[in-house]
Amino acid sequence: MIKMVLVDMDETLLVDFRVPDVNKQAIAKAREKGAHVIPATGRSFDMIQDILKDMGTQYQKNEYSICFNGGAVYENDQEEPIHYQALSYEQVTSLYAICKQYGLCFLAFALDKIYIYDPSESEVARKTKQKANFSVESDLALLEDKKVIKVALQADEEELLYQIGEEQAEVLKKMQVEVSYSSGRFLECTAVGVSKGTALIWLREHLQIMRDETMAIGDNFNDLTMIQEAGVGVCVGDGRKEVQDVSDFVTKRGFKEGAVAEALQKYLG
């Protein structure tokens, strides 16, 4: 029996930044059967409160959220994470130097808020629509005493991000950071060992749940680790081919048609 389900947000669970009714209903049924349905996202905890409300788990004790691509785990009734791993200030400044080389927007996701440097118009608009707590800054030294869990290089051209990943591969490896890509606009970096997959392992051990009692649903490269670590890995029908190829099940529906609901109905009834 599935007792814990990790669900990616963008291009998986959400449509226009909210949970559609078909997914709300399926989540409610899964929770009635005793399953934890847990968002696993690159977003900060404050950014997902409306989504948690849609899911029926906002402010709930013994309900959980995985944020910053696995960099922090929260119990939903608490403001501070129950587990997290931050980047060092040296890592943050080195990543910013790479970002400056390519003239891109730089986002530092700290526990308190998002700090945006060299902002792009599209990203400021996106964060505003997401109701994110952010500020546009110019002084990187502001981050020296902050707990920065994730940084992101943002570009409107997805291929540029893959180019940067290839060109800077050795530098990033020496820097000891994990690299992933999401939403066709972010190259994201976290501390070494941080991923949605390692967060899944930590949380299932915390809850004393067996691997074969877990499921993960996603669409993109930053979901690969949790899909591979889960007892059942699911990719939405319009997800990346590379993610579909390692998944146990690929939904017939795309994310806009209720792929999450299809997966929950298949495995939890």
Side-chain angles (χ1 to χ4, degrees), residues 222-238:
N222 65 338
D223 302 318
L224 278 169
T225 55
M226 71 174 184
I227 285 172
Q228 292 171 318
E229 290 292 348
V232 178
V234 179
C235 183
V236 299
D238 45 3

Side-chain angles (χ1 to χ4, degrees), residues 27 31 37 39 51-61 63-65 76-77:
I27 289 169
R31 294 185 63 226
V37 183
I51 289 90
L52 294 179
K53 184 177 181 180
D54 288 348
M55 296 173 69
T57 63
Q58 188 183 33
Y59 309 135
Q60 297 296 306
K61 186 174 179 59
E63 294 292 352
Y64 300 87
S65 298
N76 292 348
D77 67 336

Side-chain angles (χ1 to χ4, degrees), residues 37-244:
V37 183
I38 299 163
T41 177
R43 301 185 191 190
S44 57
F45 189 57
D46 69 283
M47 288 177 65
I48 66 171
Q49 292 305 307
D50 284 347
I51 289 90
L52 294 179
K53 184 177 181 180
D54 288 348
M55 296 173 69
T57 63
Q58 188 183 33
Y59 309 135
Q60 297 296 306
K61 186 174 179 59
N62 202 33
E63 294 292 352
Y64 300 87
S65 298
I66 292 172
C67 299
F68 307 109
N69 283 340
V73 180
Y74 290 81
E75 189 166 3
N76 292 348
D77 67 336
Q78 301 176 28
E79 293 184 1
E80 296 298 318
I82 58 174
H83 172 73
Y84 74 90
Q85 187 173 346
L87 291 159
S88 69
Y89 181 61
E90 181 181 2
Q91 288 172 315
V92 173
T93 56
S94 297
L95 290 165
Y96 182 59
I98 292 174
C99 189
K100 290 287 283 186
Q101 289 181 39
Y102 296 89
L104 299 183
C105 173
F106 182 82
L107 299 93
F109 290 74
L111 288 181
D112 61 335
K113 66 176 179 179
I114 303 169
Y115 297 83
I116 301 180
Y117 295 82
D118 306 314
S120 68
E121 185 176 334
S122 67
E123 191 56 29
V124 170
R126 181 182 175 91
K127 288 292 172 280
T128 301
K129 188 171 183 179
Q130 291 174 326
K131 300 181 181 178
N133 179 17
F134 74 92
S135 62
V136 174
E137 305 290 349
S138 58
D139 183 6
L140 203 67
L142 285 172
L143 303 178
E144 189 167 6
D145 298 321
K146 300 295 182 181
K147 292 182 175 66
V148 177
I149 311 299
K150 181 186 80 168
V151 303
L153 282 63
Q154 184 269 316
D156 295 326
E157 303 82 25
E158 183 177 14
E159 290 307 313
L160 176 57
L161 298 173
Y162 296 122
Q163 176 189 329
I164 295 169
E166 291 177 7
E167 292 177 357
Q168 302 292 333
E170 285 302 313
V171 175
L172 293 167
K173 184 178 180 180
K174 290 178 182 177
M175 208 181 295
Q176 294 190 310
V177 296
E178 300 285 351
V179 177
S180 61
Y181 302 88
S182 70
S183 298
R185 62 189 289 114
F186 300 117
L187 185 161
E188 300 176 321
C189 298
T190 52
V192 68
V194 168
S195 69
K196 292 183 181 182
T198 55
L200 182 153
I201 293 169
W202 187 91
L203 188 53
R204 74 169 173 79
E205 290 178 349
H206 178 74
L207 296 175
Q208 298 183 319
I209 291 172
M210 301 299 291
R211 180 177 184 271
D212 61 5
E213 296 173 323
T214 63
M215 180 165 76
I217 311 170
D219 74 297
N220 214 322
F221 295 119
N222 65 338
D223 302 318
L224 278 169
T225 55
M226 71 174 184
I227 285 172
Q228 292 171 318
E229 290 292 348
V232 178
V234 179
C235 183
V236 299
D238 45 3
R240 296 272 185 179
K241 183 180 184 303
E242 296 90 339
V243 182
Q244 295 187 25

